[in-house]
Amino acid sequence: MSDPLVAFDGVDKYFGETQVLRDVDLAVDEREVVVVIGPSGSGKSTLLRCVNRLETIQAGDIRLDGRSVLDTDVNEVRQRVGMVFQSFNLFPHKTALENVALAPTRVKGLPAETAEERARDLLDRVGLADQTSSYPGALSGGQQQRVAIARALAMEPTVMLFDEVTSALDPELVGEVLDVIEGLATEGMTMLLVTHEMGFAREVGDRIVLMADGRIVERTPTADFFEGPDTERGRAFLSRLL
Ligand code: ADP
Ligand code: MG
């Protein structure tokens, strides 16, 4: 048995006095897609943010490929863990191509030409081959979010975290972003993702993890979850969404 790619082990997280993650254990295997669902405030974003050390944890450990992220240089962790948020946060005065090529040149020291060549490939992969010279302001929200995904992929991460990446988009733009993520899943990218799009979760997820009050209260293979969750909380949550 190989180690899981990402492993949470007894993770507690507090903001001041408030505990927002409670004894979280979760293992994500290589090539696995784990979908995290749960009510607002249940700790989904915090869970993801702890993986690349955007948040500190107060107890437990998170391992990436067997090694604690707490013992790993934070820049190395962030190279290996790609993250995309609800807000795209592209550099407004840089083109799509420059946005994608920037980190590989600055952080990885890739020659500009190589980084740009790769950025072109990545923009092609997210369906934006014709927008390489566009500035974010000239792109739709869906296009900007696809640039953000390409930018994360440019660091060649071993795992991708997606936190409600379509929540800020107009409904007609959601599909083009979800299609890109689904493509990544098909190619075998390991992913931990938070979404309220249950149709998408069902399509792309291997497992559903339900959080409530900082705890994982249900974890079920996707097909079984949509047949009928194991827990009362799972049933209640699903019935509100469908
Ligand atoms: P979710 O993503 O499931 O909506 P979050 O992980 O964002 O939940 O938040 C979990 C809890 O932590 C919430 O009660 C939220 O108010 C609190 N929280 C999140 N970020 C901070 C912060 N930076 N400072 C204080 N409390 C926070
Ligand atoms: Mg959140």
Side-chain angles (χ1 to χ4, degrees), residues 88-96 98-99 133-138 144 151:
F88 333 118
N89 295 323
L90 298 175
F91 294 108
H93 303 301
K94 293 191 184 296
T95 64
E98 289 165 347
N99 266 281
S133 309
S134 300
Y135 288 89
Q144 290 183 60
R151 180 178 57 176

Side-chain angles (χ1 to χ4, degrees), residues 16-55:
E17 304 274 282
T18 314
Q19 188 167 10
V20 296
L21 294 178
R22 300 170 189 269
D23 195 23
V24 170
D25 292 322
L26 177 65
V28 183
D29 288 325
E30 203 176 336
R31 305 176 77 85
E32 192 180 23
V33 178
V34 173
V35 176
V36 183
I37 63 174
S40 176
S42 58
K44 305 179 300 296
S45 295
T46 305
L47 182 79
L48 263 54
R49 291 166 58 83
C50 288
V51 179
N52 63 2
R53 289 180 51 189
L54 289 171
E55 304 291 354

